[in-house]
Amino acid sequence: MSELTKLLTSYCPNGVEYKKIGEIGVLFGGLTGKSKEDFKNGNAKFITYRNIYSNPSLDLNIQDKVKILDDEKQHIVRYGDILFTGSSETPDECGMSSVVTVQTNEDLYLNSFCFGLRLHNLEEYNLHFLKHLLRSNDVRGQIKQTASGVTRYNISKKRFVNISIPVPPIEVQTKIAEILDRFAEYAAELQAELQARQEQYEYYRNKLLNFNEIGGGIQSVIWMKMSEIGTFIRGNGLQKKDFTESGIPCIHYGQIYTHYGTFATKTKSYVSSETAKKCKKAHCGDLVFATVSENIDDVCKCVAWLGNEEICISGDSLAFSHNQNPKYIAYYFQTYAFARYKRSRVTGTKVIRLHQSQLEQFEIPIPSLSEQARIVNILDKFERLVSDLVQGLPAEIAAVKEQYEYYRNKLLSFPKYKLSA
């Protein structure tokens, strides 16, 4: 008999008690009443939905700042708080949780589009147990999002407080947390190694595409505005509700962040022939840009469409037609040069945009097509090293994560408490 089985037999022979989330704590909201100017010269750190989504156990290595006045009544995040993404562009990100498992000596705030849960009694819970539990299939399966327009998914707080979670004794929680933390720590170590390789790749990509230095390996290039290289076409009318199992291939702008890499030959989604008649199209060799996001890093991410069919594109996206190497241009839009350019020109705070007119003015270096092909060949090899999901570190990380999720969902499925006869 395993140690965990012994604990379950000893502490909860009749099953595990389940409670609604609303019974174990009190909800609080994120920042309110903030303007665009408040985020320019901030004096206090705040947690974004991206921090929550990417990290189940917040280490509070937070960089974003907002201006907070002395007399403002904003909720301050504390040790033991559970934070949730209340709204996002994808259902997977909406309702995702993080647990604050470390102490902080400075005031820390929670951004809008998020909310938190403050536990009534911290001593009843192992915080690491909660971070695993709240991302398990049983809990995530109870989260019901509603679509808002074409851009967002939201979770109702009223529904959220009625989500049922198992609350075994603290001894059982601690043992399960120890087991699952070992899986998570190993996956984190592998992820750190992969991150180092990705940073190395980014360094060489930027070096290779910086024609002011030796990196490009050629004598001269022509610098041209995007409007001089090709033309932009704005997408229209395509909503997620229009997706079908088969039909005419399409790319929705939100999928560019979550599904596509530098290029694609197949789409994730399709629409009917009738819907396709109303949509703007991209053709083989075009770049498809997502012009709106919740953060500056993602806005205007692009994918080079290399499939044989024309595809429909959604609103908040642009198709760029040209006669250059499409992968060369797509790689250039991943450089520091473009990151610097867009940071000084985006608009909005909660919803970040880079307008078509700004993209048209962006200048990129245009070497010969043969030189573009040489650069693409080098970068393709680098990208395969860090992105190929069938070999190397990414495959090992995927295997460890699959193991972790299997054991997490198995360990966190408890029989409900029954009164003994």
Side-chain angles (χ1 to χ4, degrees), residues 77-148:
V77 174
R78 298 176 185 170
Y79 168 78
D81 285 348
I82 305 170
L83 310 180
F84 296 87
T85 58
S87 178
S88 185
E89 293 176 350
T90 68
D92 287 342
E93 294 181 358
C94 183
M96 192 59 78
S97 65
S98 284
V99 180
V100 181
T101 57
V102 295
Q103 300 278 5
T104 178
N105 295 321
E106 59 184 334
D107 288 347
L108 187 67
Y109 299 86
L110 183 62
N111 200 13
S112 53
F113 292 127
C114 306
F115 59 92
L117 178 75
R118 184 154 296 158
L119 299 172
H120 292 312
N121 187 354
L122 275 175
E123 294 181 357
E124 293 181 7
Y125 303 95
N126 181 296
L127 297 180
H128 288 267
F129 170 82
L130 290 176
K131 80 178 181 187
H132 298 297
L133 174 68
L134 293 169
R135 293 195 173 205
S136 67
N137 287 354
D138 284 350
V139 174
R140 291 288 297 164
Q142 298 180 66
I143 294 177
K144 298 178 181 178
Q145 302 99 345
T146 56
S148 174

Side-chain angles (χ1 to χ4, degrees), residues 24-68:
I24 70 171
V26 178
L27 292 179
F28 62 91
L31 291 168
T32 58
K34 290 291 144 189
S35 68
K36 180 179 178 180
E37 296 300 314
D38 291 325
F39 292 88
K40 287 186 176 179
N41 296 300
N43 60 351
K45 294 181 178 180
F46 70 94
I47 295 169
T48 70
Y49 91 100
R50 284 289 184 191
N51 299 135
I52 298 172
Y53 176 72
S54 62
N55 192 350
S57 181
L58 280 175
D59 55 13
L60 303 186
N61 183 22
I62 306 300
Q63 304 301 321
D64 297 289
K65 288 191 173 183
V66 62
K67 186 176 181 181
I68 300 290

Side-chain angles (χ1 to χ4, degrees), residues 398-417:
V400 172
K401 287 183 176 178
E402 187 175 339
Q403 279 185 308
Y404 161 72
E405 290 177 4
Y406 170 80
Y407 283 107
R408 180 190 64 193
N409 294 313
K410 192 173 182 66
L411 289 172
L412 295 173
S413 296
F414 301 97
K416 288 190 176 182
Y417 178 80

Side-chain angles (χ1 to χ4, degrees), residues 279-339:
C279 295
K280 296 293 179 65
K281 310 292 194 305
H283 304 85
C284 182
D286 289 356
L287 273 71
V288 183
F289 288 83
T291 60
V292 61
S293 179
E294 290 184 352
N295 63 83
I296 297 175
D297 289 339
D298 280 348
V299 71
C300 273
K301 182 182 176 185
C302 69
V303 54
W305 172 245
L306 303 182
N308 294 323
E309 301 176 86
E310 66 176 14
I311 59 171
C312 300
I313 60 172
S314 71
D316 287 321
S317 66
L318 294 169
F320 179 68
S321 300
H322 56 94
N323 58 2
Q324 303 299 312
N325 187 309
K327 291 175 76 174
Y328 168 80
I329 298 178
Y331 277 128
Y332 197 82
F333 273 90
Q334 297 171 9
T335 61
Y336 299 145
F338 180 62

Side-chain angles (χ1 to χ4, degrees), residues 102-225:
V102 295
Q103 300 278 5
T104 178
N105 295 321
E106 59 184 334
D107 288 347
L108 187 67
Y109 299 86
L110 183 62
N111 200 13
S112 53
F113 292 127
C114 306
F115 59 92
L117 178 75
R118 184 154 296 158
L119 299 172
H120 292 312
N121 187 354
L122 275 175
E123 294 181 357
E124 293 181 7
Y125 303 95
N126 181 296
L127 297 180
H128 288 267
F129 170 82
L130 290 176
K131 80 178 181 187
H132 298 297
L133 174 68
L134 293 169
R135 293 195 173 205
S136 67
N137 287 354
D138 284 350
V139 174
R140 291 288 297 164
Q142 298 180 66
I143 294 177
K144 298 178 181 178
Q145 302 99 345
T146 56
S148 174
V150 297
T151 61
R152 306 201 65 80
Y153 284 85
N154 305 288
I155 177 172
S156 162
K157 292 181 182 179
K158 290 183 178 179
R159 283 181 175 175
F160 178 81
V161 295
N162 286 310
I163 291 174
S164 179
I165 63 170
V167 186
I170 190 69
E171 293 82 0
V172 175
Q173 295 181 35
T174 300
K175 186 59 184 178
I176 291 175
E178 288 174 359
I179 296 170
L180 294 177
D181 275 349
R182 284 197 291 269
F183 280 103
E185 287 165 5
Y186 181 50
E189 290 172 4
L190 292 173
Q191 191 65 48
E193 186 175 347
L194 179 61
Q195 179 66 27
R197 292 192 184 187
Q198 288 173 328
E199 289 175 359
Q200 183 183 32
Y201 162 58
E202 289 177 10
Y203 170 82
Y204 284 111
R205 181 182 64 207
N206 284 284
K207 193 76 171 174
L208 195 61
L209 292 170
N210 185 354
F211 294 97
N212 293 323
E213 298 181 8
I214 300 172
I218 60 174
Q219 288 73 35
S220 62
V221 296
I222 300 172
W223 288 82
M224 300 178 68
K225 295 178 180 179

Side-chain angles (χ1 to χ4, degrees), residues 11-18 166-167 414-421:
Y11 286 98
C12 35
N14 297 320
V16 172
E17 182 181 9
Y18 277 66
V167 186
F414 301 97
K416 288 190 176 182
Y417 178 80
K418 295 181 180 179
L419 290 174
S420 57

